[in-house]
Amino acid sequence: MEETMRGMNERIKKLRQQSEAAVPKLSMERALLITEAYEKYSGRVSIPVLRALAFKHILENKTICINEGELIVGERGSEPQAAPTYPELCCHTLEDMDIMNSREKIFFRVTEEDKRLQEEKVIPYWNGKSIRDFLFNSMSDDWKECYKAGIFTEFMEQRAPGHTVADDKIYKKGFLNFKEDIQEQIEKLDFNKDTSAYEKHEELKAMLICADAIVCFAKRHSEGAMELAASEKDEARKSELIRIAEICTRVPEYAPETFWEALQSYWFVHLGVITELNTWDAFCPGRLDQHLYPFYKKELEEGTLTREEAKELLECFWVKFNNLPAPPKVGITLQESGTYTDFANINIGGMKPDGSDGVNEVSYLLLEVIDEMRLLQPSSNIQLSRKNPDSFIIKAAEVIRKGWGQPSIFNADAVVEELLRQGKSLEDARCGGNSGCVETGAFGKEAFILTGYFNLTKVLEITLNNGVDPRTGRQLGLATGDALSFSDFNELFGAFKRQLNYFIDIKIKGNNIIEKLYASYMPSPFLSIVIDDCIKKGKDYNSGGARYNTTYIQGVGIGTITDSLATIKHHVFDQKSITMEQLLSALKDNFEGQEVMRQRLMNKTPRYGNDDDYADDIMRMVFDTFYDEVNGRKTMRDGTYRINMLPTTCHVYFGSVIGATPEGRKAGTPLSEGISPVQGMDRFGPTAVIKSASKMDHLRTGGTLLNQKLSPQLLKDEEGLRKLAALVRAYFKLDGHHIQFNVLDAATLMKAQKNPEQFKGLIVRVAGYSDYFNNLNKGLQDEIIARTEHRDF
Amino acid sequence: MKGKVFNIQRYSVNDGEGIRTSVFLKGCPLDCWWCHNPESKKGIRELVYYSSKCIGCGECISSCANGAVSLIDGKLVLNKNLCRMELNCERCCPTGAIEVVGREMTVQEVLAEVEKDRIFFEESKGGVTFSGGEPLMQPEFLKELLSVAQKRGLHTAVDTSGYAPWDIILDIAQYTDLFLYDIKLMRDDLHYKYTGVSNSIILDNLKKLAKIHNNIQVRVPLIPGINNDEQSITELCEFLQTEGIKKVSLLPYHSTGTDKYSRLGETYRLYGLAALSDIELQRALAMAKSFGLDAKIGG
C-alpha cells in the first residue's frame, strides 16, 4: 500500500481514495432524459436528428458534477461510480434491477426511488421497443437456440457498437472547426443527382446538433466551476476553479492550446461518446503520449508547465476513467464480460506516423503514472516496436514486475502488418494500435466492431455427438455422422469443419441483421464527428461511415479444443489405447469412476504450449479452419469479417455450458483463455509456450491474447528484467501480437498451495534450478512463500 | 555418439549470461552433502517418484512383472533389488508420478532440443550450458556437444566441479566460451569429508585453466556451518586472488534438495539446515569484494 501511494501528492491520494471508495450505483438521470426527448421528438424528425436531439437534451440537463480537488472535470453519471442506463438499447425490468443490486460480484446499488422511476417513467415508454427486444425478435429460431446453448454470444444485444479509438484530430481542431467541415459537406449536397442526399443531410444536421451539445455541456461545467469558485474559501482552490472555468469555455469548442486543455478536451469527447450510447470498450485516447507530447514540450520550454504539474494532471485524468464503471450488464453479456472495467486502454510508445521511434518523455511519464496510480482503469499497454529502445521496455518491465498485470505489451510492428494486410494505408496503420483487450484498429479512422465470442470447443462437443447438444439433447447442428463411425482423425476433423461452417453461417446471418438495426435505429452522430470519414461521406459510424469497417468474431478456447483433438488423435486413432466408445462414455459420465483414464488422457498426451508439433499442428489446423470460415466475408456496412482470439471472461461462461472434454477437463469448468495453453499444461516454461503460440499466424488476426505467469524471483534484478525484455522481443520477432505477465506474490502462492490443480503452470525459481511449484513439498513451498513475502519491489 | 542426460531445462536464467538451455548430464564423482540434484549423481537411469502426483491407483503394481512395486499407505514403494528397469510402471502411470531420470541421447538429439530456443539465446546473448552431475564424466560426449554447438554459433558454457583429469578439461576448453567452475572448500580434509573427494585435482586444474582460458566464473555454494566462516572464505578468496581469477558468484544455500531426495527414496544429510540470512550473505559478499574480486550473490 505504501508503495502504491508513493509519489502521489495529497490531492491525488484523496481523489484516488474517493474513486476507490465510491460504491457503484445506478444513475437514473440519463434514462429519464432520453425518455423525455424521445417522447418529445420521436416520429417528428429523422432518426439521426432524433438521436442528436436526445443527446443534446441529456447534455443540457444532466447534473454537472465537479468533485472536490479535481482538475479535470466531468462525470458520465451524477457522481463518481454512478452508472447511467440506456433504455433505448436495453430496458431493464425491475427484476433486473433487483439482481443488479443484490448480486455478489459486479453489483450496482439500486434504490427504491430508482425502481419507482423505472416503473413509472422508463418501462412504460421503452417496454418492447428497445434494440434488445427488436434484436431478439429479429433473430431466427436457429440463432436463438445457438445463443441459448452457448455456441456464441452477441455483443450488441445490450451494448452499442463502439470499439473505436480517438486519433489526433481533437487536439488539432475544436468543434467549431468540425462544424465548419460539416457545414461544407452540407453545402456540397446535390439533391438533384445524389439519391442519398437526404440521408446525408439528416446525418450531417445531426452532427451539427451534437457539436453544439458538447460545447454547451463544457460551458455548463464552466458555469458550475465559477459558482463553486464564488463560494470557495481556499484561495488556491478558488483560482483552480477559475482556471477550470476558463478552460471549459475554450475546449472543446476551440482546439486545445495547453496540456491541461488537451486532457480536458479529450475528456469531454470521451463523455460525449459514452453518453450518446453505451459503446463497448467505452472510448479511448489511444496514443496518448504522442498526442500530448507537442503540448508538453511547448509548455515546458515556455515555462508554463513543470513535469510534476503534468504528472498531477495526468493522475487526475486517470481517476476520471476509474470513476466510470462499465454500464450495468445483465444475462449472458454479464457472463462474457464480468467486470466493472470498461476497457479504455492507453497506448504508449510504438512509432510515429513517419515510422520512426515514437517513444518520448511523456511515454515515460505515463509509465510513472500507471505505476503510482495502480488503478484498474484505465487499462494500459506499451506498443513495443523494434525501433523502440530497450530502456523503454525495461522501464515498463519495472512496472510489470510489481505484479498487478499492467501494462501489457503489444508488438507494434505486427500491429502495423496486421493493419496493412487488411488494406489500411501505411500511415493509418502506424497511427493505429490496440484497444479493449487486444484489438487492433486504425485509430480515428476505423469501426472495428466485435460481435461476439465463438465457442470452438462446444462445436467439437456437438460434432462428437452427431449434431446434438448433449446438455439439452437438442439437435443443434448438422448430422455429420456418428463419432464411432469415424475411421481416422481426418474424418473427425472434416465433420468438425462442416459443423463450424454451419454455426458460423448462423452467427453471421444474425450479425448482418443486427448491423442493419443499428444503422437504421441507433446512429451515433456524435461519435461520427470524430471518426474519419463520416463527415466526408455524410454517413454514420454505425452505417459504414468510417474509412475502414471491420467486423470481428472472437475465437475462444483454442487451447482446450487443441488438446481435446490431440487427445483423440493420440489415444483413439494413433495409439489405439482407448476406443472412441470408451472415451464418449467417460465424457458422458463426466469421468465418474474413470479417474485413471482421465489422468492418463490429461498427462500422457502431447499438449499445446510445450513446443511440440504434434499438438501445435492441430492448433494451427483449428485456427486456419476458423480463419478460412470467417475471414473475408462481407458485412452490411461494406466492411469485412475477420477473427481475433480473446476471451475476456467468456472462457468461464463457455466452459459452463460444455460437458467433460477429452483432454480431461471436467464438465462445467473453464476453458483455456486467450491463446494461452490449458491451465497448468505448459510444462517447459515460457520459451516453449511462446514457441507454441507463435505457430499461429497472428498477422492474420485482429488480435491474440497470451497470458504468462512469472514468479517475482525471475524479475528480481536488472538482469531479470533484461531477460524478460529478451523473451518479449523474441516472441515479437516471431510475430506474436501481445503478451502480458502475472508476476505472483506470496498470497497467490499460498492460494496455489491450497488449490494446486489451478496452478499447475506456476514456475518458481528454487535455487540453482527452477521447478513447478506443485513439484515442491510443503516445506519448500513454505520457504519460498516466506522468501517472496520479503521482496521489496 | 550417445550420452546420458537427466534433464534439459529451457529458460534457465541463472546458469550463465542471458536466456539459456541447461543440459544436465548424469553421473557425478562427488557426493556433496548439500547436492540439490541428487538424481544426477548416479551414471545410470533411475526411477523418481512424485508422491504429490500419485493418486494411488495401483496401475504400477499390476504392470510390474517383477513384483518390485508395492503401495503402502497409498504411496508407492519401490524394491530396487527386484527392479529390472523395464519401466512398465512409468509407462502406465496415468499421472506422471513415476518418472525415469536419465535418457540415452545422441548429440544431434540434445542439440535439436537446444536449438528450439535459439531465437531467445540470440535476443538475450544466452546459449547452452552443460551441467550435471559432472559433465566431464562423459568427456567424449561433452566434447562433441560443445564443438558442434559452437560450430553452430551457440554460446557454450560448462558448469563443472573441476574434478577430472586435466587432459579432459584441456580438450574441451577451446570449445567452451564460459566455465562455471565450482569451488567448495580450500581445506582438503573438510573437502574430503563433505564431498567425498580431495580438492587437489580441482584446485590444480583451476590454476592451469586460468592460464589458458579467460572466461571463468567461479561459483561457491555457501553452506551454513560448512564453508561460510571467515576462515574458509578468506582462504578461498586468497587462492583466487593469487591465481588472478576475478569473477566469483556466491550461491546461497537453500534446502531445495530435501524434496528430491525423498522422490528418490534417499535420505538428506543436511535435513533441517536453515538458509543464510541476508546479513550473513552480505558479509560474505563484502569479504569477497575486499579481496578485489568481482563478486556477486547468485548465478
Side-chain angles (χ1 to χ4, degrees), chain B residues 213-256:
Chain B
H213 201 283
N214 59 13
N215 197 6
I216 303 170
Q217 176 92 39
V218 165
R219 310 222 290 184
V220 184
L222 275 187
I223 318 297
I226 293 178
N227 70 350
N228 71 325
D229 55 292
E230 205 174 317
Q231 192 194 344
S232 297
I233 296 172
T234 305
E235 285 169 0
L236 204 144
C237 292
E238 278 171 355
F239 171 77
L240 296 179
Q241 202 179 30
T242 312
E243 299 309 320
I245 297 167
K246 282 269 179 214
K247 288 191 282 185
V248 58
S249 300
L250 305 176
L251 308 178
Y253 166 81
H254 292 297
S255 57
T256 58

Side-chain angles (χ1 to χ4, degrees), chain B residues 35-298:
Chain B
C35 180
H36 61 246
N37 280 335
E39 70 274 40
S40 71
K41 285 185 189 175
K42 291 182 190 152
I44 51 162
R45 283 193 305 184
E46 287 175 273
L47 285 173
V48 181
Y49 171 61
Y50 292 82
S51 65
S52 60
K53 292 185 189 174
C54 179
I55 55 169
C57 65
E59 294 273 308
C60 47
I61 302 174
S62 45
S63 76
C64 181
N66 307 313
V69 187
S70 51
L71 278 176
I72 294 174
D73 294 335
K75 298 293 166 197
L76 175 144
V77 177
L78 181 72
N79 184 333
K80 288 189 180 176
N81 295 326
L82 296 176
C83 174
R84 293 183 193 168
M85 291 299 281
E86 287 165 2
L87 308 183
N88 288 318
C89 58
E90 184 264 347
R91 275 188 287 274
C92 79
C93 174
T95 66
I98 303 173
E99 238 179 62
V100 180
V101 171
R103 264 199 299 165
E104 294 270 341
M105 291 180 84
T106 65
V107 169
Q108 294 309 320
E109 282 167 347
V110 171
L111 292 180
E113 210 42 43
V114 170
E115 287 277 3
K116 285 182 169 178
D117 276 356
R118 178 185 279 271
I119 191 162
F120 300 97
F121 308 155
E122 289 175 358
E123 223 28 77
S124 66
K125 300 188 174 68
V128 56
T129 300
F130 296 101
S131 181
E134 172 48 67
L136 299 175
M137 291 275 280
Q138 302 181 51
E140 293 304 314
F141 184 55
L142 178 65
K143 183 181 165 186
E144 187 73 6
L145 284 169
L146 285 167
S147 62
V148 177
Q150 210 181 46
K151 214 177 286 169
R152 293 194 197 170
L154 295 168
H155 180 272
T156 59
V158 170
D159 182 8
T160 177
S161 69
Y163 190 78
W166 167 246
D167 292 352
I168 291 175
I169 298 178
L170 182 62
D171 208 24
I172 62 146
Q174 58 181 311
Y175 306 115
T176 307
D177 297 318
L178 167 70
F179 273 98
L180 301 168
Y181 201 110
D182 299 357
I183 303 282
K184 283 94 179 178
L185 278 158
M186 295 305 291
R187 278 180 55 190
D188 200 27
D189 56 335
L190 292 179
H191 195 276
Y192 196 87
K193 177 181 172 189
Y194 289 115
T195 71
V197 300
S198 159
N199 68 6
S200 63
I201 299 175
I202 295 170
L203 299 177
D204 208 37
N205 282 341
L206 181 56
K207 284 186 203 168
K208 290 178 185 162
L209 186 63
K211 290 191 175 70
I212 62 156
H213 201 283
N214 59 13
N215 197 6
I216 303 170
Q217 176 92 39
V218 165
R219 310 222 290 184
V220 184
L222 275 187
I223 318 297
I226 293 178
N227 70 350
N228 71 325
D229 55 292
E230 205 174 317
Q231 192 194 344
S232 297
I233 296 172
T234 305
E235 285 169 0
L236 204 144
C237 292
E238 278 171 355
F239 171 77
L240 296 179
Q241 202 179 30
T242 312
E243 299 309 320
I245 297 167
K246 282 269 179 214
K247 288 191 282 185
V248 58
S249 300
L250 305 176
L251 308 178
Y253 166 81
H254 292 297
S255 57
T256 58
T258 320
D259 210 13
K260 289 186 167 185
Y261 282 87
S262 63
R263 282 178 212 164
L264 280 165
E266 293 175 9
T267 46
Y268 182 49
R269 283 163 290 189
L270 295 181
Y271 188 80
L273 184 64
L276 289 164
S277 69
D278 262 1
I279 296 168
E280 289 170 303
L281 283 175
Q282 289 307 322
R283 206 187 53 209
L285 182 66
M287 273 178 70
K289 284 187 173 167
S290 73
F291 285 87
L293 297 175
D294 175 7
K296 62 172 180 172
I297 304 278

Side-chain angles (χ1 to χ4, degrees), chain A residues 458 529 597:
Chain A
K458 185 78 191 172
I529 297 172
M597 184 205 283

Side-chain angles (χ1 to χ4, degrees), chain A residues 593-772:
Chain A
Q594 297 282 0
E595 186 57 15
V596 174
M597 184 205 283
R598 190 179 86 91
Q599 289 290 342
R600 186 165 290 130
L601 299 178
M602 224 163 44
N603 296 303
K604 300 276 171 113
T605 301
R607 301 192 63 149
Y608 169 65
N610 298 292
D611 198 6
D612 178 341
D613 284 340
Y614 188 96
D616 297 346
D617 283 348
I618 292 174
M619 179 279 289
R620 206 153 34 181
M621 278 172 80
V622 175
F623 173 83
D624 288 346
T625 304
F626 181 49
Y627 171 86
D628 290 340
E629 207 44 73
V630 176
N631 186 75
R633 295 199 195 201
K634 286 295 155 204
T635 76
M636 293 288 114
R637 292 179 295 131
D638 225 4
T640 310
Y641 274 98
R642 307 203 181 276
I643 61 165
N644 47 26
M645 307 296 284
L646 66 113
T648 315
T649 59
C650 203
H651 58 298
V652 180
Y653 164 61
F654 277 173
S656 75
V657 299
I658 305 178
T661 37
E663 90 298 3
R665 183 189 140 278
K666 291 250 184 112
T669 59
L671 305 177
S672 62
E673 55 77 34
I675 58 163
S676 311
V678 168
Q679 295 80 348
M681 288 302 149
D682 46 332
R683 293 165 168 143
F684 297 99
T687 60
V689 173
I690 281 173
K691 288 289 297 293
S692 280
S694 58
K695 291 174 197 173
M696 173 184 289
D697 186 355
H698 296 238
L699 299 183
R700 289 190 293 162
T701 72
T704 64
L705 188 151
L706 180 62
N707 250 318
Q708 285 288 281
K709 274 184 195 164
L710 295 179
S711 148
Q713 293 282 335
L714 288 170
L715 302 178
K716 64 180 188 298
D717 53 18
E718 175 80 18
E719 212 181 317
L721 296 179
R722 292 208 167 275
K723 284 171 187 174
L724 181 79
L727 193 70
V728 173
R729 294 270 198 196
Y731 184 43
F732 288 180
K733 252 190 183 174
L734 296 168
D735 288 341
H737 171 85
H738 154 277
I739 190 165
Q740 62 191 34
F741 296 97
N742 265 313
V743 184
L744 292 154
D745 57 9
T748 312
L749 292 173
M750 280 186 268
K751 241 193 270 169
Q753 199 175 40
K754 277 194 193 138
N755 309 297
E757 282 282 321
Q758 294 163 22
F759 290 86
K760 282 189 177 172
L762 176 62
I763 301 168
V764 289
R765 187 73 190 166
V766 183
Y769 75 107
S770 292
D771 207 345
Y772 282 96

Side-chain angles (χ1 to χ4, degrees), chain A residues 177-304:
Chain A
N177 307 109
F178 292 133
K179 278 178 70 179
E180 287 163 12
D181 296 344
I182 297 164
Q183 199 60 52
E184 196 187 317
Q185 290 304 318
I186 291 178
E187 278 154 26
K188 275 197 212 158
L189 290 175
D190 184 347
F191 281 81
N192 292 322
K193 289 192 184 137
D194 183 354
T195 55
S196 322
Y198 173 72
E199 287 83 354
K200 290 178 186 169
H201 181 264
E202 293 306 296
E203 174 68 24
L204 291 165
K205 191 170 142 194
M207 290 184 195
L208 284 179
I209 296 168
C210 291
D212 285 337
I214 200 74
V215 169
C216 161
F217 185 54
K219 296 208 163 145
R220 291 182 63 218
H221 281 85
S222 175
E223 287 157 19
M226 281 312 282
E227 274 171 36
L228 287 173
S231 58
E232 178 62 55
K233 299 274 186 301
D234 181 87
E235 280 307 312
R237 181 60 184 162
K238 192 184 191 103
S239 66
E240 275 170 13
L241 285 163
I242 292 169
R243 181 94 190 266
I244 289 168
E246 285 165 4
I247 288 168
C248 295
T249 55
R250 282 209 71 256
V251 296
E253 187 172 18
Y254 301 93
E257 282 176 2
T258 65
F259 192 83
W260 192 343
E261 284 182 1
L263 288 170
Q264 183 63 63
S265 190
Y266 171 78
W267 191 245
F268 281 130
V269 174
H270 185 96
L271 291 176
V273 171
I274 64 173
T275 299
E276 180 175 51
L277 281 170
N278 63 359
T279 45
W280 267 115
D281 290 358
F283 196 53
C284 175
R287 313 292 289 269
L288 191 60
D289 50 349
Q290 291 192 37
H291 300 328
L292 292 178
Y293 184 63
F295 299 101
Y296 179 82
K297 186 167 176 276
K298 181 176 136 248
E299 281 201 85
L300 245 63
E301 279 167 10
E302 289 172 355
T304 53

